Amino acid sequence: MISIIIPVLNEESSIIELLQHLQNNAVNASSMEIIVVDGGSKDATLQKVKNFKSHYKTTIKVVHSEKGRGTQLHNGSKEATQHILYFLHADSYPPKNYDQLIINAVDNGHPAGCFRMKFKSWHPWLIIIGWFTRFSWKASRGGDQSQYITRKLYDDIGGYNTQIPIYEDYDIIARLYGRDQYYVIPKWLKTSARRYHEKGVLRLQWFYITIYWRKYRGATIDELYQYYLSKCD
């Protein structure tokens, strides 16, 4: 019942670990399909996925796409055949029995949502950020928490916006909150803190807060993208 859609770009160091995690922590891995959407990897990501396919209990598809997470996510959705779409970043690891938890949430009247999130880090600030994801506030949401949504609702809201270069996760989340159709499953997903440690935890968090504040104050996507390029390329 679930199509897992994973956008990738040069993820050779982590993609197999994620695929193994998805297999080992699902209640029924054979009932799912996984769609790996590549945005033009130059490393061995695709070869590793192809080598792994024969060992997996379920279907794995590889889709080639233009670079851009929103575009990759949407192109993956077009290849999906299952009733529930589950969009997952390549460095985020959902909790044990994640597939059944998502199905239960949908069956209980929650057609879209995510998991709570913890970073794979003991940095105090990242622990605090993760702690706040237990709340239902829109400001506590982000793409690293993953995103499940029924096919019907995804089509109803128009899916991911492929015309924006950043903010694609928050854009679709905001639309779902606007319809009062968002649920946080009370289980913990774990995600990599690699980018935080590469850029500096406080520096990167200040950047994200500034992006959020500028958007709140009415900045256009183009203005936010130029700011992104100037500070975090």
Side-chain angles (χ1 to χ4, degrees):
M1 293 182 64
I2 298 178
S3 295
I4 303 176
I5 300 166
I6 307 169
V8 298
L9 182 66
N10 299 326
E11 297 288 351
E12 66 177 6
S13 64
S14 60
I15 188 61
I16 298 305
E17 180 183 356
L18 176 61
L19 294 178
Q20 290 173 333
H21 177 91
L22 293 173
Q23 175 177 279
N24 295 337
N25 288 276
V27 171
N28 189 2
S30 61
S31 70
M32 302 183 305
E33 67 178 359
I34 293 178
I35 302 171
V36 177
V37 189
D38 183 63
S41 293
K42 302 300 183 182
D43 64 1
T45 298
L46 293 185
Q47 188 59 51
K48 288 193 172 187
V49 172
K50 291 175 181 177
N51 292 343
F52 189 75
K53 286 174 66 174
S54 60
H55 304 292
Y56 210 87
K57 297 178 182 178
T58 192
T59 301
I60 298 180
K61 301 178 182 178
V62 174
V63 174
H64 299 277
S65 169
E66 294 180 12
K67 179 182 176 182
R69 185 176 286 159
T71 298
Q72 290 173 242
L73 291 168
H74 187 64
N75 287 341
S77 76
K78 293 190 292 186
E79 298 294 326
T81 63
Q82 302 300 315
H83 169 59
I84 300 171
L85 309 178
Y86 183 44
F87 299 99
L88 183 67
H89 288 186
D91 55 1
S92 291
Y93 297 79
K96 188 173 180 62
N97 302 333
Y98 64 91
D99 55 333
Q100 192 61 54
L101 291 167
I102 292 171
I103 291 169
N104 291 346
V106 171
D107 288 345
N108 288 327
H110 304 293
C114 66
F115 290 103
R116 298 174 178 179
M117 182 192 73
K118 293 180 179 179
F119 285 101
K120 292 182 175 181
S121 171
W122 290 106
H123 191 286
W125 183 248
L126 296 182
I127 292 173
I128 292 171
I129 294 172
W131 186 84
F132 273 101
T133 65
R134 71 185 63 210
F135 299 111
S136 60
W137 310 328
K138 183 170 64 173
S140 295
R141 304 281 73 83
D144 287 336
Q145 293 173 255
S146 69
Q147 171 71 62
Y148 80 83
I149 184 170
T150 63
R151 162 63 75 181
K152 181 180 184 305
L153 180 55
Y154 183 82
D155 290 340
D156 284 348
I157 66 172
Y160 279 96
N161 186 344
T162 62
Q163 302 303 308
I164 56 178
I166 60 171
Y167 227 60
E168 70 289 327
D169 290 315
Y170 195 79
D171 174 76
I172 197 171
I173 289 168
R175 280 181 276 147
L176 290 168
Y177 267 86
R179 298 169 63 117
D180 194 26
Q181 291 184 301
Y182 210 88
Y183 176 66
V184 182
I185 299 174
K187 295 292 182 180
W188 297 95
L189 170 150
K190 293 184 179 180
T191 192
S192 170
R194 177 185 59 188
R195 187 166 178 80
Y196 277 91
H197 290 299
E198 287 176 351
K199 300 292 184 180
V201 172
L202 297 181
R203 176 174 177 265
L204 190 57
Q205 187 58 37
W206 179 253
F207 166 78
Y208 288 144
I209 291 172
T210 303
I211 285 274
Y212 184 86
W213 178 247
R214 290 187 177 204
K215 180 67 169 62
Y216 177 77
R217 294 295 299 272
T220 67
I221 291 296
D222 286 340
E223 289 170 338
L224 295 178
Y225 187 50
Q226 291 304 314
Y227 176 73
Y228 170 86
L229 292 177
S230 69
K231 299 293 184 180
C232 203
D233 189 22

